[in-house]
Amino acid sequence: MTAATAAAPRVLVVEDEESLLFTLAHNLKREGYTVVTASRGDDGLRLAREQKPDLILLDVMLPGIDGIQVCRMLRRDSDVPIIMLTALGGESDRVAGLDTGADDYMPKPFGMRELMARVRALLRRSGARAQPDTGPTVVISGDLQVDRERREVVRGGKVLRMKPKEFELLLFFLQHPGRVFSREQILDEVWGYDFYGGPRTVDVHIRWLRQKVEDDPANPVRIRTIRGSGYLFEG
Ligand code: CA
């Protein structure tokens, strides 16, 4: 099976906290997954059976049936990978200590990047479709070569050291050349849930990025500032 022909893996998210559910769905879609959501335990159980997801993110405290029950009921006839989302205050210990049948658990609050890494790892391990189909592994633009899997950027044969968000920002630009994005759009797309700053955060990261990918960072030709609008990557 090749990544190009495989359908995107389907992820079911069961979470009753509306803003977290929204953020999870947003980030999973951005990673290329098909997302199904429920905000009650009983709905989640029904969807899990109907939709046959490749992976489930399951909150513990849920209206209807709680996540631990949902997990146990699913385990009677399914080995779908399950990551429990636990709150503080002993819930994590309870899930970890109990024989819930979950594959992994994430104590809240958690970083989206870490959760996405665990989702990828579990999907890989479960032998579901190996990678979401979000394009080629290596993206090349001029003398820049970006390896998404190894998270490595090579320019003119030299490996560039990048902070995680610099890397994600560059990758985002490479995937959307010739389009203008406002700072807010960039924050939403690149930072998403992990965001804790202001539009200035984008400016700072772009300044760092320019120092690495521009011949003359003071006169950038790759990452251009579009006055009053935002930024554009020439590609
Ligand atoms: Ca909850």
Side-chain angles (χ1 to χ4, degrees):
M1 185 181 324
T2 65
T5 54
R10 189 191 301 266
V11 178
L12 168 64
V13 187
V14 190
E15 168 63 64
D16 61 332
E17 197 186 310
E18 203 177 322
S19 63
L20 180 57
L21 180 64
F22 176 83
T23 307
L24 285 165
H26 174 76
N27 278 274
L28 287 162
K29 283 178 197 160
R30 208 175 67 193
E31 295 276 315
Y33 302 112
T34 300
V35 181
V36 183
T37 63
S39 50
R40 294 176 52 91
D42 42 2
D43 291 340
L45 186 62
R46 182 174 50 77
L47 282 172
R49 288 177 168 155
E50 282 172 14
Q51 304 265 327
K52 301 265 180 285
D54 297 296
L55 184 139
I56 301 175
L57 297 182
L58 184 57
D59 184 28
V60 173
M61 292 299 287
L62 287 167
I65 317 172
D66 78 31
I68 290 172
Q69 287 299 324
V70 171
C71 191
R72 283 191 177 139
M73 287 159 97
L74 280 172
R75 274 293 170 264
R76 288 178 197 158
D77 53 18
S78 164
D79 57 1
V80 58
I82 298 173
I83 301 176
M84 305 287 292
L85 309 176
T86 67
L88 294 172
E91 220 177 62
S92 297
D93 297 342
R94 203 170 140 233
V95 169
L98 281 173
D99 181 21
T100 57
D103 297 89
D104 201 354
Y105 70 96
M106 284 294 282
K108 296 175 187 173
F110 47 78
M112 273 299 144
R113 199 181 319 132
E114 156 126 46
L115 178 63
M116 294 303 142
R118 292 201 194 185
V119 166
R120 271 196 301 276
L122 258 185
L123 281 171
R124 208 159 30 228
R125 229 188 298 156
S126 76
R129 304 136 201 176
Q131 283 287 319
D133 184 14
T134 52
T137 304
V138 177
V139 186
I140 295 171
S141 171
D143 63 353
L144 276 178
Q145 190 172 318
V146 178
D147 189 321
R148 298 192 323 171
E149 223 149 77
R150 297 168 66 181
R151 296 181 73 83
E152 190 179 85
V153 182
V154 177
R155 184 175 183 220
K158 264 181 64 183
V159 176
L160 302 180
R161 289 178 68 90
M162 294 252 169
K163 294 183 176 72
K165 281 293 178 242
E166 276 180 275
F167 178 85
E168 285 165 37
L169 181 60
L170 177 61
L171 188 59
F172 173 72
F173 277 137
L174 282 166
Q175 288 169 332
H176 303 89
R179 275 175 60 186
V180 181
F181 291 95
S182 69
R183 288 168 178 80
E184 287 72 22
Q185 283 172 317
I186 293 171
L187 274 176
D188 188 41
E189 292 290 337
V190 178
W191 273 261
Y193 185 76
D194 284 340
F195 167 61
Y196 37 81
R200 278 281 297 149
T201 308
V202 175
D203 298 335
V204 170
H205 279 76
I206 283 182
R207 196 168 70 231
W208 290 340
L209 210 48
R210 279 173 172 160
Q211 282 161 8
K212 295 172 188 175
V213 306
E214 299 282 358
D215 287 333
D216 179 3
N219 296 291
V221 294
R222 273 198 155 123
I223 304 171
R224 288 173 45 208
T225 302
I226 307 298
R227 196 168 276 280
S229 301
Y231 294 102
L232 174 147
F233 184 73
E234 281 291 357

